Amino acid sequence: VAADASPLSLAGGWSLDAAERALLSANTRVPLTEKETSLLLCLLSAPGRSARREELLSDVWGYAADADTHTLETHIHRLRARLKEALGEGEWLRATESGYEVCL
C-alpha cells in the first residue's frame, strides 16, 4: 500500500489508515500490526465475496497454497479482538465456507 494512500472509510465513522497502521475515529486510534493491516486490506479488497485461505496466505505472508500453518487463524483471532475493541460487539470478521470476509 502506498504511504500516501487515503484512509479507507469503514462502518460507524471509523477509517483504516494503512500508512499509519491504525483504525481511526474522531477521537480514538487503535494501532494495528503490519500483518493485521495487510490482512485487513486484503479482506477489504474483496467486497461481497470471501477471501480464500490460500489467497490470504499468499498475499499477506507469501506462503504456498499448501502451507501447513495456523498463522492465518492466529492473526484472524487477534484481528477480531482488535475490531471488537474498536467497533464494539458485532460480527466484523467471519469465517465462511470458502474463506473469510470482513463486514465493515
Side-chain angles (χ1 to χ4, degrees):
V1 173
D4 61 342
S6 298
L8 297 171
S9 294
L10 306 174
W14 285 88
S15 62
L16 170 64
D17 188 329
E20 293 294 320
R21 292 191 320 218
L23 291 170
L24 306 169
S25 74
N27 56 4
T28 305
R29 181 181 189 279
V30 179
L32 300 171
T33 67
E34 180 180 348
K35 293 300 182 189
E36 287 169 339
T37 303
S38 295
L39 180 56
L40 193 49
L41 285 170
C42 282
L43 292 165
L44 289 167
S45 72
R49 73 169 181 85
S50 295
R52 294 182 345 271
R53 180 179 191 277
E54 298 79 13
E55 174 185 353
L56 294 169
L57 284 171
S58 174
D59 291 352
V60 176
W61 288 274
Y63 289 174
D66 60 351
D68 184 25
T69 179
H70 293 284
T71 298
L72 176 60
E73 291 77 9
T74 300
H75 280 80
I76 290 286
H77 175 77
R78 290 179 184 159
L79 185 54
R80 277 186 178 131
R82 297 241 194 220
L83 292 173
K84 181 179 175 184
E85 173 189 343
L87 304 172
E89 291 293 331
E91 190 176 24
W92 306 113
L93 181 57
R94 67 175 161 227
T96 66
E97 223 175 88
S98 58
Y100 293 94
E101 63 186 19
V102 66
C103 305
L104 298 170

